[in-house]
Amino acid sequence: MTNLGTGAGARSAAQESAAPSAAQHLPQAVQTQKLAARLKLTLDSDQLTNCMRCGFCQTACPTFNETGLEAASPRGRIALMKAVADGFMEPDTRFKEQMDLCLGCRACEPACPSDVKYGQLIEQARESIAAETDYAPHVKAIRTLFMERLFPHHGRMRLLGGMLKLYQRSGMQKLARMSGVMRLLPEHMRQMEAILPEASADGVIRAWAKLGLPAAWETTNGSGGSRRMLVIPPAGGATRARVGLFRGCIMDVLFTSTNVNTVRLLREAGYEVVIPTSQTCCGALHAHAGETASARRLARENLDAFGAAGVDFVASNAGGCGASLKEYDHLLHGDESAADAARDFARKVRDVAELLVEHGRPLLPAPETTGAPLVVTYQDSCHLRNVMRVQQQPRTLLQSRPGVRLNELQGADRCCGSAGIYNLTQPQMSADVLDHKMEHVEQTEAEYVVTTNPGCLLQMKWGIERAGLGGRMKAVHLVDFMAEGLVRKS
């Protein structure tokens, strides 16, 4: 077994990343030294030491499977981090590239016999890199625009959704494609634009109000001021629990109907659903991009919003968001003013499939139709499976719908290559991972590919188009698939 600790093994992984050049310019050398110093302070030495170098993580790692490089595996990346922390190497450009190449799927964590928190280590490394990187002006502007000016502000996101909807419906989208303007974009971005769902300027609260279904406004007054929330009663019978719906930022603009269907399913299962208006982005994209301070700020805002709502559970219908919410206790562990609230909040976070299967009353499915069964397959959301450890509940839901046959997907536990915005920042690796995934998807002969995360859903739509399977199958969110099979359409 190869040792990838602080000796020759660590240098073996570092050699694949390459040693720093002696011809570095002084400013770059100073920046590298500052990054090395920050990494030594930021990286969790206990987690680095916990890695036994057994290599069980390698077969679970998409980038290792694609490249075969030790440095592109969790074990290799931990060795690189430890080599920097111990002063054996400098965090040069290729060190950063390996940190960026990681999908962050965290499939290595369930495979690890030492329970190494790799996800925390990679985010610590990225936080240090982001803090010591002098981004080009246009990159800095884009990061600020999305991370600080858009995602945390629900009103602005709805405005963006309205603009996108206008582009999609007015003929501008068709004109852009016919005129050749879209050819100015990289191929992967053209393909992603083509599979975007219709956006919405409403969000779940306005969309629910337009349906004319039961709901009432509730206001609480506390130390944080007055807070409003929409309260939606169960569809009948005794109330099982009071559930706060986390609506998300991108989710509430591109997948508004999925949020509405989430409310419908929860009502049908006997839950009172509460939607606090003061909630904000979960902070997952911020944490993945190394913007940890912003992620912590957003976490505190969500603690206040859902704390005021007095809920028994916090429901998520997006695996990436749910995993981020579930780890607020870790994110805020050093904040004495928020640590207790973060632990209580994290304990309440559930995926919607957990609530429906484990705590809710049985859904009332529409009668089974005659004829051949509806064949579906299921692609796990990495963060739902590897962080929230939710695996069986979505499958149980699918099998509870009459007339459905679930054909298991080989490698359903492997990442699809979406990984937040990874398909935009690392398009080639994302496409390579996706293309191998689609080989297995095609073998299921499914009519529907079901998943539980918006990024995964878009990625699977992209994969279906890339594989030429558009006429044979389509990708759908678990919530939408289950809502379609309900007796009651309200």
Side-chain angles (χ1 to χ4, degrees):
M1 186 179 300
T2 303
N3 183 351
L4 292 177
T6 58
R11 286 192 290 272
S12 174
Q15 286 167 1
E16 290 180 1
S17 179
S21 169
Q24 281 183 315
H25 296 299
L26 182 60
Q28 183 180 350
V30 171
Q31 189 179 63
T32 300
Q33 291 168 7
K34 289 177 65 179
L35 175 56
R38 185 178 287 271
L39 284 165
K40 290 177 185 178
L41 292 173
T42 305
L43 290 170
D44 187 329
S45 59
D46 289 338
Q47 292 299 328
L48 291 176
T49 305
N50 283 346
C51 178
M52 301 189 306
R53 335 294 179 210
C54 65
F56 287 176
C57 60
Q58 290 185 317
T59 56
C61 177
T63 54
F64 176 78
N65 288 328
E66 291 295 330
T67 66
L69 295 176
E70 175 69 26
S73 72
R75 181 175 73 174
R77 291 190 181 100
I78 290 175
L80 293 174
M81 295 179 207
K82 190 160 176 33
V84 170
D86 292 343
F88 282 98
M89 67 172 284
E90 293 184 351
D92 63 355
T93 300
R94 276 169 272 195
F95 170 89
K96 298 177 187 177
E97 288 173 351
Q98 284 301 341
M99 299 304 114
D100 288 340
L101 191 64
C102 175
L103 287 136
C105 69
R106 297 173 67 171
C108 51
E109 292 188 19
C112 179
S114 298
D115 194 30
V116 174
K117 306 300 183 185
Y118 174 81
Q120 297 174 12
L121 287 172
I122 195 68
E123 288 191 356
Q124 290 164 6
R126 288 172 172 173
E127 177 186 0
S128 296
I129 291 170
E132 299 297 340
T133 297
D134 186 15
Y135 292 107
H138 71 282
V139 174
K140 187 180 297 185
I142 291 172
R143 286 172 69 97
T144 300
L145 172 64
F146 285 96
M147 298 293 186
E148 302 299 334
R149 302 287 182 259
L150 281 176
F151 293 153
H153 303 280
H154 190 252
R156 296 174 190 175
M157 288 298 295
R158 287 206 337 266
L159 178 61
L160 179 63
M163 294 169 61
L164 182 55
K165 183 176 181 178
L166 177 65
Y167 164 75
Q168 292 171 325
R169 283 193 168 187
S170 66
M172 286 190 287
Q173 183 179 51
K174 184 177 180 180
L175 179 62
R177 293 173 179 174
M178 292 178 61
S179 66
V181 171
M182 297 302 297
R183 286 197 291 270
L184 297 175
L185 297 176
E187 181 182 2
H188 71 283
M189 293 190 71
R190 296 198 302 270
Q191 293 174 346
M192 293 299 291
E193 186 271 347
I195 53 90
L196 280 177
E198 184 174 291
S200 170
D202 289 334
V204 61
I205 290 179
R206 291 191 179 191
W208 188 263
K210 287 182 177 180
L211 293 174
L213 296 172
W217 285 102
E218 190 175 294
T219 302
T220 62
N221 294 298
S223 58
S226 177
R227 296 182 182 276
R228 295 183 78 220
M229 58 204 76
L230 189 70
V231 180
I232 302 167
T239 300
R240 291 296 180 101
R242 182 175 167 100
V243 174
L245 175 66
F246 185 78
R247 64 188 175 191
C249 50
I250 297 173
M251 191 77 191
D252 212 35
V253 169
L254 289 182
F255 300 94
T256 309
S257 60
T258 304
N259 275 350
V260 170
N261 282 333
T262 300
V263 176
R264 289 180 54 219
L265 291 178
L266 289 171
R267 289 188 72 224
E268 193 68 35
Y271 293 106
E272 179 183 54
V273 182
V274 182
I275 311 176
T277 60
S278 58
Q279 64 178 288
T280 185
C281 172
C282 67
L285 291 177
H286 299 75
H288 300 335
E291 303 286 349
T292 310
S294 295
R296 292 187 180 118
R297 186 190 72 247
L298 298 172
R300 294 186 195 98
E301 291 182 27
N302 282 322
L303 293 185
D304 291 341
F306 285 93
V311 297
D312 302 306
F313 299 105
V314 177
S316 169
N317 55 17
C321 295
S324 178
L325 300 173
K326 194 76 173 176
E327 294 195 321
Y328 274 5
D329 54 342
H330 167 72
L331 184 64
L332 297 172
H333 73 280
D335 185 341
E336 293 184 3
S337 65
D340 289 342
R343 281 191 292 271
D344 183 61
F345 179 89
R347 180 181 56 81
K348 294 178 179 179
V349 174
R350 298 287 191 280
D351 183 73
V352 62
E354 291 182 275
L355 291 171
L356 295 175
V357 170
E358 297 175 358
H359 303 283
R361 61 174 175 242
L363 300 177
L364 298 175
E368 181 176 353
T369 57
T370 58
L374 188 62
V375 181
V376 305
T377 194
Y378 177 70
Q379 164 63 25
D380 285 281
S381 156
C382 292
H383 285 89
L384 184 62
R385 183 184 181 97
N386 300 325
V387 181
M388 297 185 74
R389 304 298 170 99
V390 174
Q391 302 177 23
Q392 185 55 45
Q393 295 91 330
R395 292 171 168 84
T396 299
L397 272 181
L398 287 172
Q399 291 171 321
S400 72
R401 179 172 162 178
V404 168
R405 187 179 79 214
L406 175 63
N407 284 358
E408 280 289 351
L409 170 64
Q410 181 181 343
D413 58 337
R414 300 295 178 87
C415 186
C416 64
S418 171
I421 58 171
Y422 188 92
N423 49 15
L424 299 179
T425 61
Q426 300 280 350
Q428 188 57 58
M429 180 60 72
S430 176
D432 290 344
V433 171
L434 177 61
D435 290 344
H436 289 147
K437 169 73 63 180
M438 295 310 300
E439 293 173 6
H440 298 307
V441 170
E442 185 173 9
Q443 292 171 6
T444 67
E445 299 183 344
E447 299 168 65
Y448 288 91
V449 182
V450 181
T451 189
T452 49
N453 189 61
C456 301
L457 179 55
L458 290 177
Q459 186 82 346
M460 297 312 296
K461 287 177 180 287
W462 184 30
I464 288 171
E465 293 305 312
R466 285 177 62 86
L469 300 174
R472 294 166 45 187
M473 64 174 62
K474 64 179 182 178
V476 64
H477 194 288
L478 172 67
V479 162
D480 297 323
F481 185 80
M482 294 306 300
E484 186 182 73
L486 284 180
V487 169
R488 215 171 353 218
K489 298 300 179 183
S490 62

